[in-house]
Amino acid sequence: MDKFLIEGGNSLKGEVKIKGSKNSALPILAATLLCEDEFVIENVPLLRDIFTMKKVLEILGVSVFIEGDRVKVDTRGAVGYEAPYELVKQMRASYYVLGPLIARLGRAMVSLPGGCAIGTRPIDLHIRGLKKLKANISITHGYVDAYVTKLKGSHIFLEGPNGPSVGATINVMTAATLAKGVTVIEGAAMEPEVEDVANFLNKCGAKIEGQGTRRIEIKGVKKLHGCEYKIIPDRIEAGTLAVGAAISRGEVFLKGAKKVHFESSLNKLKEVGADIIVEKDGVAVKMDRDIGSTDIETAPFPGFPTDMQAQFTALLSLSDGISIVREKIFEERFMHVMELVRMGADIRREGDYVVVKGVPYLYGAEVMASDLRASAALVLAGLSASGTTIVRRIYHIDRGYENIEERLRKLGARIWRQEE
Ligand code: UD1
């Protein structure tokens, strides 16, 4: 197991190119299962989760070749229908093969993902949506067991108690591309990744309209074909590095970042005193003032993303006031809080929110990463802390950030990976 060693105190300065979106790349790779053909997917980030998806596809009989940030996929020939627990437990997003497999084969056995550090994360909406398309689904021996002769279009309301679901919208939309007739998804997630997957599917011959809105309409087609497609930039990576610039009182140009994808994070950064300059080819973030306080409530897109909550909590722990950060999507997503407290932060949890009382500085400590974004928050805290921070269990961060230490070092950070 590797760990990060961080010597805090240096400001991040310079330019960094934003990698492709993990949360687009995963469902797009899974959606190649919909037809028998060849695909070239560009701008794919080289992350642990992508390698896990490669393994899932390979176990189903698909060939996947990674050449830099281009991934060639060949789905010709027979494919299997079972995604085993061994892989799904490593990465929840493996369930993205469910929709494509039922649509192509009329059969899928996908392991239930099980527990998660940030909340219960049920998949009832995925199942509800696919059942509406007339799939027969049961849960047996820890697996979602699905079969159908032919999926049929339907009118589906897909919201749950916490609002729309990115994963369910994508799974149901993907399956519906090959259903007989028209499917309408109301209460669809509007996240840019949903739009990206729909654009990819349309390039493969699907007929999807309304992506990026609450109502998506899918006219089923008989067959899809392969294509070349370029993934959108990762808005969460861009947001994390933007917070890195702010927390370290630096100045970073996020090359390739698209303002519309992470405007809610940029607005919060402005509120706490950062300067944001939007250029044609990216976004610059500069912080040369004291960090101000603000309140945050996570919400579905275009609201403030839950995937940026931990990083902003780290930032606000160094503000000159009191902030309230409320988590409305994943109830247990506060694992970073106690680790930040170990670095000197003054944060108190009250149910679904935390009260963050700014302190003048954080100090280095040994801390433990618990999930992907929590680990990013600890790295950011370490960059600004006085002294040495050791972040353990960084395999979490490798799931979602490509070569983060090398890229932070290029911006002036003192961060090294060490074997335990
Ligand atoms: C995706 C992202 C994750 C992000 C999340 C919310 C990927 C691989 N992951 O996760 O990084 O934090 O969106 O933006 O893209 N829910 C149900 N029933 C379901 C499905 C979801 O109740 O069947 C609930 C969830 O518990 C949560 C809310 O709906 O409270 C939103 O979750 P969802 O959008 O589905 O998250 P994921 O797609 O799993």
Side-chain angles (χ1 to χ4, degrees):
M1 250 192 253
D2 293 350
K3 64 184 179 194
F4 281 148
L5 197 100
I6 306 167
E7 295 289 345
N10 278 14
S11 300
L12 296 189
K13 290 215 160 84
E15 179 177 304
V16 59
K17 175 146 179 357
I18 301 306
K19 302 279 179 184
S21 162
K22 165 179 92 73
N23 288 351
S24 278
L26 292 171
I28 285 175
L29 287 171
T32 61
L33 282 165
L34 282 167
C35 65
E36 295 190 41
D37 212 343
E38 292 175 288
F39 299 81
V40 178
I41 315 296
E42 288 177 17
N43 206 27
V44 178
L46 296 180
L47 306 167
R48 222 161 63 97
D49 276 6
I50 298 295
F51 290 105
T52 309
M53 183 55 84
K54 178 176 187 282
K55 278 192 218 155
V56 174
L57 291 174
E58 283 171 347
I59 228 164
L60 292 168
V62 171
S63 308
V64 183
F65 305 98
I66 298 182
E67 297 167 351
D69 68 356
R70 278 163 70 91
V71 177
K72 289 188 179 163
V73 184
D74 186 344
T75 55
R76 289 172 299 180
V79 298
Y81 60 80
E82 186 178 330
Y85 180 57
E86 256 328 286
L87 291 173
V88 182
K89 75 170 187 215
Q90 286 176 36
M91 182 184 69
R92 298 181 61 79
S94 309
Y95 58 51
Y96 274 132
V97 299
L98 181 61
L101 285 178
I102 310 176
R104 171 165 165 186
L105 302 174
R107 183 88 175 90
M109 282 265 285
V110 177
S111 169
L112 277 171
C116 178
I118 63 174
T120 45
R121 304 189 78 173
I123 63 159
D124 56 312
L125 295 173
H126 300 239
I127 293 173
R128 192 209 296 171
L130 293 169
K131 276 187 172 167
K132 281 283 226 170
L133 297 179
K134 297 280 181 274
N136 299 286
I137 300 185
S138 55
I139 309 286
T140 24
H141 306 291
Y143 278 72
V144 180
D145 188 349
Y147 69 93
V148 70
T149 316
K150 179 76 187 160
L151 292 174
K152 292 202 179 62
S154 179
H155 202 111
I156 305 169
F157 181 71
L158 211 50
E159 258 194 44
N162 293 348
S165 158
V166 175
T169 303
I170 290 178
N171 237 338
V172 176
M173 173 178 80
T174 306
T177 57
L178 293 180
K180 190 170 178 335
V182 178
T183 299
V184 174
I185 304 176
E186 305 271 7
M190 305 201 301
E191 268 69 2
E193 294 78 19
V194 176
E195 212 176 329
D196 206 24
V197 177
N199 293 342
F200 161 76
L201 292 169
N202 280 345
K203 212 165 173 205
C204 298
K207 294 209 163 115
I208 305 175
E209 283 177 11
Q211 59 270 35
T213 74
R214 299 299 305 278
R215 185 182 187 278
I216 300 179
E217 188 173 313
I218 307 125
K219 290 196 179 81
V221 296
K222 286 218 166 72
K223 239 175 115 176
L224 296 174
H225 52 75
C227 72
E228 286 194 18
Y229 191 79
K230 188 170 176 190
I231 306 269
I232 57 168
D234 195 310
R235 64 192 168 106
I236 305 301
E237 187 193 62
T240 302
L241 291 165
V243 173
I247 203 170
S248 68
R249 316 305 207 266
E251 185 171 359
V252 174
F253 183 64
L254 308 162
K255 197 168 164 54
K258 293 235 175 334
K259 175 190 142 205
V260 287
H261 289 167
F262 68 136
E263 218 160 356
S264 55
S265 297
L266 291 175
N267 287 341
K268 283 294 165 193
L269 284 171
K270 267 193 226 162
E271 249 181 82
V272 303
D275 294 315
I276 309 289
I277 301 153
V278 179
E279 309 267 0
K280 236 179 25 224
D281 58 341
V283 177
V285 180
K286 180 178 171 189
M287 185 68 150
D288 55 11
R289 308 186 179 91
D290 287 345
I291 301 165
S293 59
T294 185
D295 294 339
I296 287 176
E297 183 168 312
T298 63
F301 189 83
F304 186 91
T306 173
D307 284 353
M308 286 302 303
Q309 182 258 103
Q311 300 89 315
F312 267 84
T313 303
L315 175 68
L316 295 172
S317 71
L318 285 165
S319 83
D320 60 9
I322 295 176
S323 312
I324 308 276
V325 180
R326 194 179 294 271
E327 176 55 63
K328 301 287 280 182
I329 310 288
F330 294 117
E331 65 273 25
E332 290 307 321
R333 198 165 209 176
F334 288 117
M335 304 286 274
H336 46 286
V337 165
M338 286 319 288
E339 301 300 302
L340 290 171
V341 166
R342 299 187 61 251
M343 297 177 75
D346 183 345
I347 311 178
R348 197 180 73 241
R349 181 173 172 189
E350 301 275 354
D352 71 351
Y353 68 92
V354 288
V355 182
V356 188
K357 201 167 157 203
V359 294
Y361 57 87
L362 296 174
Y363 40 81
E366 284 195 31
V367 289
M368 191 112 84
S370 56
D371 68 70
L372 171 53
R373 307 304 171 187
S375 19
L378 297 177
V379 168
L380 296 179
L383 294 179
S384 59
S386 65
T388 307
T389 297
I390 293 172
V391 185
R392 293 188 196 277
R393 298 205 182 162
I394 56 167
Y395 54 86
H396 288 294
I397 207 166
D398 291 333
R399 280 192 40 221
Y401 296 88
E402 182 180 333
N403 238 334
I404 189 72
E405 74 276 24
E406 206 177 298
R407 296 166 73 223
L408 286 172
R409 264 203 312 271
K410 278 198 187 133
L411 293 172
R414 288 173 296 175
I415 172 169
W416 302 272
R417 182 182 293 259
Q418 288 186 343
E419 273 182 35
E420 288 273 17

